[in-house]
Amino acid sequence: MITQGVLVTGRCSACGGTTTCDVGQFFDRGMLRWGAEGQCADCPNGWCEQDSGPVTPEHIRQLLLQEHGPARLRLSGDVLRLVPLLQALRTAQELTLVEAKAQAAELGTTGLTGTLVEMEILATHLRRRAITVTVEAAA
């Protein structure tokens, strides 16, 4: 399992006290999953939210990117056949052919950036089709 998370404090909507929220993204059983779980230190208010799919809510992505920085996925070898690359991109992210072609071009130049979990998931899909890639910090 690949996971990345961050703790965030805030104000409770019920009592105005201090809340602590654990938000994160993880790759489990072949799927991108995300979650947010929080509670108030001053009252019984609490919540838990989880889901899966190709897209994590943007506010969770942004918290992870702010805390950990982006990761970059790059091709580390030549792509001999474009079709497996496009198929992997389309399957992993539910992209149109036009979107997959744009991402393939980006992979071959500057690389794709996102959260570490997102880039590792995409790398897994590409490696399954014998496409060599690397994931590194995008700093």
Side-chain angles (χ1 to χ4, degrees):
M1 179 181 341
I2 301 166
T3 184
Q4 193 173 54
V6 62
L7 286 175
V8 181
T9 59
R11 289 278 163 227
C12 178
S13 60
C15 74
T18 302
T19 60
T20 303
C21 185
D22 184 8
V23 297
Q25 243 183 358
F26 52 102
F27 182 48
D28 187 33
R29 297 184 194 116
M31 293 194 71
L32 171 65
R33 301 174 189 272
W34 58 268
E37 183 175 333
Q39 64 184 28
C40 179
D42 303 312
C43 79
N45 190 27
W47 64 96
C48 180
E49 180 181 18
Q50 292 184 341
D51 205 352
S52 62
V55 179
T56 298
E58 193 59 30
H59 70 280
I60 291 177
R61 288 187 78 251
Q62 290 306 314
L63 287 169
L64 294 170
L65 290 168
Q66 288 170 11
E67 178 73 16
H68 301 286
R72 184 178 313 279
L73 175 69
R74 293 181 186 209
L75 293 173
S76 55
D78 291 333
V79 176
L80 302 176
R81 295 179 25 232
L82 187 58
V83 171
L85 174 60
L86 295 175
Q87 287 174 330
L89 291 170
R90 291 188 74 194
T91 300
Q93 302 175 91
E94 298 181 1
L95 300 175
T96 67
L97 183 57
V98 171
E99 292 168 330
K101 284 181 178 179
Q103 282 199 2
E106 199 172 336
L107 261 174
T109 56
T110 60
L112 297 173
T113 59
T115 68
L116 175 64
V117 174
E118 292 164 347
M119 295 302 99
E120 288 290 354
I121 290 170
L122 191 49
T124 299
H125 282 273
L126 293 165
R127 289 174 183 136
R128 284 182 188 151
R129 296 188 186 262
I131 299 165
T132 57
V133 293
T134 58
V135 177
E136 59 195 23

